Amino acid sequence: MNFIDVAVAEKGAGVTLSFGKNVITVTGPKADALKKGGYVGKTVVMGIRPEDVVEEHEYAEGRTLSETFPATVTVYELLGSEAMIYADVEGGQISAHLSAASSVRTGDKINCSVDVDKIHLFDKQTELAIAH
C-alpha cells in the first residue's frame, strides 16, 4: 500500500487532502469521519493500494476518480499482463499497477488519479484507522 502524509482542510460538505501542491477531495463518510474526529487542520496518513492508482490514459470505468496529480516514473517493471510503476509525486512516492499495453516508461511524466472510494485514512500519531 502507498502511504502519503496529507494535510486535511474543510471544503464545503467535503474535505481536501493535500500533499505538496496536489489536492484530493473526499466527501461522504470519509469526510464526515475526518471532521467528527477533529482532523481538519491536521496531517493524517492516506493509504491507497497500487491497483487503485490510475494513470490518466488507463481504463477507469466504475471508479470514482480524484483530481489528477503529476508524477515522474522512476521504475517500470513489466509483470506479464500488467506493469508496476514507481513514481515520485510532490509530497511522496507512489506505486501503481498499469496495463502491460501502457506506453509509460521510466522517466516519463504522467498524470495520476486515485479511486477515492478506496482511500484509507490513518491517524498519524496512533496509526489507527480513521476511515476506509
Side-chain angles (χ1 to χ4, degrees):
M1 185 176 287
N2 297 294
F3 295 104
I4 298 175
D5 287 353
V6 293
V8 180
E10 193 164 358
K11 180 182 178 185
V15 297
T16 58
L17 308 174
S18 302
F19 51 105
K21 294 178 186 168
N22 307 309
V23 177
I24 293 173
T25 303
V26 292
T27 58
K30 288 181 175 96
D32 293 343
L34 289 165
K35 288 178 188 179
K36 289 177 184 171
Y39 292 101
V40 173
K42 297 183 178 175
T43 298
V44 300
V45 178
M46 177 182 73
I48 189 77
R49 288 187 168 79
E51 57 269 21
D52 298 318
V53 177
V54 179
E55 195 264 329
E56 112 181 296
H57 299 294
E58 287 281 303
Y59 180 75
E61 187 174 320
R63 297 178 184 231
T64 305
L65 297 181
S66 71
E67 299 86 340
T68 61
F69 52 90
T72 302
V73 179
T74 56
V75 176
Y76 170 88
E77 282 183 272
L78 183 59
L79 305 172
S81 64
E82 65 181 16
M84 182 80 160
I85 63 162
Y86 300 87
D88 290 335
V89 297
E90 187 175 351
Q93 295 180 320
I94 59 163
S95 57
H97 289 257
L98 303 179
S99 163
S102 172
S103 62
V104 172
R105 296 295 183 266
T106 301
D108 288 351
K109 294 187 185 317
I110 61 173
N111 287 313
C112 296
S113 295
V114 298
D115 186 338
V116 293
D117 293 335
K118 304 294 181 158
I119 289 173
H120 301 266
L121 298 164
F122 303 94
D123 185 292
K124 188 166 173 60
Q125 307 307 318
T126 66
E127 299 181 354
L128 295 174
I130 300 166
H132 45 77

